[in-house]
Amino acid sequence: MEHHFLDQYSDRDSLIHRLDPRVKAITFFSLVLFVILTPAASFSAFGFYGALLIILIAFSKVPPIFVVRRSLVIIPFVVIVGLFMPFIKGGRSLGNYSLGAVDFSVTYEGVMLFWNIFIKAMLSCISLTVLTSTTRFVDLLKGFETMHLPKLLIMILSFMYRYIYVFIGELMSMRIAKESRSAGGGKRFHLKAIANMVGVFFIRAYERGERVYLAMCSRGFDGTVRTLNRLKLNARDIYFSFSVIALLITIRCFAK
Amino acid sequence: MHIPDGFLSPGVWSGLWVVSIAILGFCLRKVKAVLQDKMIPLMGVAAAFIFAVQMLNFPVAGATSGHLLGGVLAAILLGPYGGAIVIAIVLIIQCLIFQDGGLTALGANIFNMSFIGAMGGYLVYHTIRRAVKGDRGILVGASFAAWFSVVATSSICAVELALSGTSPLKIALPAMAGIHVLIGIGETIITVFVIGTVLKMRPDLIYKK
């Protein structure tokens, strides 16, 4: 079973990959924050944010098509929440249309509301995609740890990360087994089959966790994970972070 | 639903971040006080389990499908505090790795799913379990709690969207709650079956206070 949804491109080598994970996280989180706090009507600002992201993607050597595909995850939400806004929201009318017996009008405020959630969700999503596809998850966690996030949280996250691959592989093979044995059948039948499968899966997962834990204890695990790689900030990291954040401030102040 | 970035107004998302950090900190302290070392790897296992299970979709009415939230399931197995932490961790991973739910909206998503969903659901479960004795109490409690958690989570989400001025309450609330009344049935069935299996095979895993 292949798992290419995590760390698919994070082992490549590029300018962005080589940056310190903490600096990278702070830079991309600031990018998200700037995008979110920019008023919807500053069209050129969003254009510049987009251009900045395109430059970063080009440097990162992550295939642009992958980033675009990842960012499509927001589309269902934008459609469900935002699509009707131009027609429902009251305000300045942009035009009236009639479709058979139904008359509706499009308002400026409604269109702006739709634009607002669409562009912000899209750009934020792309920023996070670039961050996580250029950083190994283990390094990101290590970075968070040195930034003093609660240790318990980091530990659970790192255990979870190590189990995810095993579990998804196991669950998917259970699902293939279920589907190859249960062609046809009603909705209720399938729901029951899934539920039983999940129950058995939980027991298996939990008992594996217990076994692994005992194995860890007998090898001297005392609640702390020790790793060899130590994070070190160098001048390049600082330059990168400063120049991106300076660009963001410039865009925010001058682009209308 | 995982709220993406841009859907909430700055006041709403920053407020919910503060609330979520406070409650998460409280949960972490509670869990540290009660649990032994053993629970750390097992909470990691539970988070990975919930994460994997959320990838299974089940059919709801029409063409829509839902997936397990798992909040009540986690809370029944790990207790309200442990359950809330596990769900919060799943949400953090989904936000960072899959961009499922935004970064600024993460506080709101944690508030909705791990506090309203898992801890609120656990409160319902706990109340029913006190009233109905034995294994039946656990199953009946789990079923009501699971359904409640899904409907309550989606309603809160609609309220947040309305407070942010993204969608009017009178449209968002009935629409969100309406769909999730159905999705909640799927959640109930799966939660009850999983708890039933655990009761049969490893009854010691059910959280007892």
Side-chain angles (χ1 to χ4, degrees):
Chain A
M1 180 92 201
E2 279 182 53
H3 309 290
H4 40 225
F5 56 91
L6 274 172
D7 283 346
Q8 189 181 359
Y9 294 108
S10 51
D11 280 332
R12 295 195 171 184
D13 186 34
S14 80
L15 197 69
I16 313 280
H17 282 80
R18 268 175 265 141
L19 292 167
D20 182 277
R22 290 166 291 183
V23 167
K24 226 185 313 185
I26 290 172
T27 311
F28 282 96
F29 288 175
S30 339
L31 214 166
V32 172
L33 219 55
F34 271 91
V35 167
I36 295 296
L37 296 175
T38 303
S42 340
F43 297 108
S44 63
F46 290 113
F48 284 120
Y49 292 141
L52 179 59
L53 276 170
I54 290 172
I55 295 169
L56 290 174
I57 293 169
F59 273 123
S60 74
K61 294 188 191 159
V62 174
I65 190 80
F66 166 79
V67 179
V68 173
R69 223 177 40 226
R70 268 298 174 80
S71 66
L72 294 182
V73 67
I74 59 146
I75 296 298
F77 298 105
V78 172
V79 168
I80 292 170
V81 176
L83 196 61
F84 299 103
M85 290 328 297
F87 311 111
I88 304 169
K89 183 93 177 163
R92 222 151 20 101
S93 178
L94 287 179
N96 293 293
Y97 305 92
S98 62
L99 200 76
V102 192
D103 289 314
F104 55 90
S105 62
V106 173
T107 62
Y108 174 77
E109 280 75 5
V111 171
M112 285 311 283
L113 205 57
F114 177 74
W115 160 255
N116 183 42
I117 62 172
F118 169 73
I119 193 69
K120 287 181 179 174
M122 193 71 166
L123 292 177
S124 313
C125 193
I126 291 175
S127 318
L128 289 185
T129 309
V130 177
L131 169 65
T132 48
S133 56
T134 56
T135 317
R136 284 185 16 231
F137 192 70
V138 188
D139 292 339
L140 203 58
L141 282 185
K142 189 85 189 159
F144 286 151
E145 195 180 342
T146 53
M147 284 156 81
H148 297 289
L149 255 75
K151 221 173 127 204
L152 188 60
L153 215 58
I154 300 287
M155 292 252 296
I156 300 174
L157 273 166
S158 61
F159 274 109
M160 173 189 180
Y161 174 71
R162 288 172 174 84
Y163 280 114
I164 281 178
Y165 298 96
V166 185
F167 285 3
I168 290 178
E170 186 158 346
L171 191 62
M172 290 307 145
S173 61
M174 284 170 90
R175 187 171 73 173
I176 291 169
K178 177 221 149 223
E179 269 161 20
S180 51
R181 288 190 186 86
S182 61
K187 214 180 273 178
R188 185 171 303 186
F189 169 74
H190 282 284
L191 200 57
K192 204 181 145 185
I194 291 177
N196 278 326
M197 188 173 103
V198 173
V200 172
F201 174 56
F202 176 75
I203 302 282
R204 278 195 200 173
Y206 201 92
E207 289 184 343
R208 184 195 298 267
E210 283 178 327
R211 282 197 307 276
V212 171
Y213 176 71
L214 290 176
M216 285 165 71
C217 282
S218 51
R219 286 166 178 77
F221 177 69
D222 62 352
T224 51
V225 176
R226 296 176 184 83
T227 51
L228 272 180
N229 69 330
R230 285 185 186 80
L231 299 175
K232 213 165 65 230
L233 280 182
N234 54 35
R236 203 184 44 209
D237 300 318
I238 308 288
Y239 290 145
F240 171 80
S241 189
F242 267 106
S243 45
V244 171
I245 292 175
L247 266 175
L248 289 172
I249 294 172
T250 318
I251 294 172
R252 181 70 177 82
C253 291
F254 296 107
K256 284 285 165 288
Chain B
M1 100 174 228
H2 303 261
I3 307 174
D5 281 319
F7 281 50
L8 299 176
S9 61
V12 172
W13 66 253
S14 54
L16 287 170
W17 254 114
V18 173
V19 174
S20 292
I21 289 173
I23 309 182
L24 202 58
F26 173 75
C27 288
L28 282 168
R29 196 164 321 143
K30 277 282 193 189
V31 163
K32 251 191 230 160
V34 179
L35 303 177
Q36 326 90 332
D37 283 352
K38 188 187 168 189
M39 289 311 286
I40 298 170
L42 289 182
M43 279 169 77
V45 170
F49 164 77
I50 300 280
F51 184 89
V53 166
Q54 287 198 348
M55 293 177 78
L56 289 178
N57 285 316
F58 54 80
V60 192
T64 54
S65 67
H67 69 72
L68 197 73
L69 254 156
V72 168
L73 189 60
I76 293 174
L77 296 166
L78 298 163
Y81 308 115
I85 292 172
V86 162
I87 297 296
I89 281 170
V90 171
L91 290 169
I92 292 171
I93 294 264
Q94 283 172 335
C95 164
L96 287 179
I97 307 293
F98 292 93
Q99 289 76 48
D100 206 354
L103 180 70
T104 55
L106 183 60
N109 285 324
I110 290 179
F111 180 82
N112 298 349
M113 284 178 248
S114 78
F115 305 127
I116 303 293
M119 289 172 89
Y122 186 82
L123 199 68
V124 173
Y125 161 78
H126 191 67
T127 316
I128 295 175
R129 221 190 130 180
R130 267 201 193 153
V132 187
K133 288 276 168 279
D135 285 358
R136 242 189 57 210
I138 293 177
L139 291 175
V140 173
S143 67
F144 278 101
W147 186 84
F148 163 84
S149 75
V150 172
V151 177
T153 299
S154 60
S155 309
I156 283 285
C157 175
V159 171
E160 284 159 7
L161 289 175
L163 278 178
S164 304
T166 305
S167 55
L169 192 64
K170 63 178 190 298
I171 296 172
L173 188 60
M176 285 289 278
I179 296 170
H180 285 85
V181 161
L182 293 175
I183 294 180
I185 297 172
E187 176 94 10
T188 300
I189 295 173
I190 295 190
T191 305
V192 168
F193 268 97
V194 174
I195 297 295
T197 311
V198 174
L199 272 176
K200 250 183 278 170
M201 296 168 79
R202 288 286 302 270
D204 58 305
L205 296 184
I206 305 280
Y207 180 81
K208 285 176 206 75
K209 200 188 158 190

